[in-house]
Amino acid sequence: MTVVEIRKGSVRSFDAGMYTATVQVAGSLATWLEGVPVSRSIPGAEMRVGRACAVIHFDSANPRDAVVVAVWA
């Protein structure tokens, strides 16, 4: 059984070539997830540093088994 988690975070960097992001998890100064895939439905121009984002985790131990699905603010 897979447990899916949705977490709020902040975009810390965006790699347009790989279409991945580094995300700081909300409420944690030390937890940064690197190499998180970004949904291709989000235009690269919207992935600005500091924006809030929603990340769906399919395996909390593996940031590559997650996806950024929304950005705002």
Side-chain angles (χ1 to χ4, degrees), residues 1-14:
M1 179 176 156
T2 302
V3 176
V4 176
E5 288 183 28
I6 301 173
R7 291 185 169 176
K8 181 178 177 182
S10 296
V11 175
R12 291 297 166 220
S13 68
F14 175 64

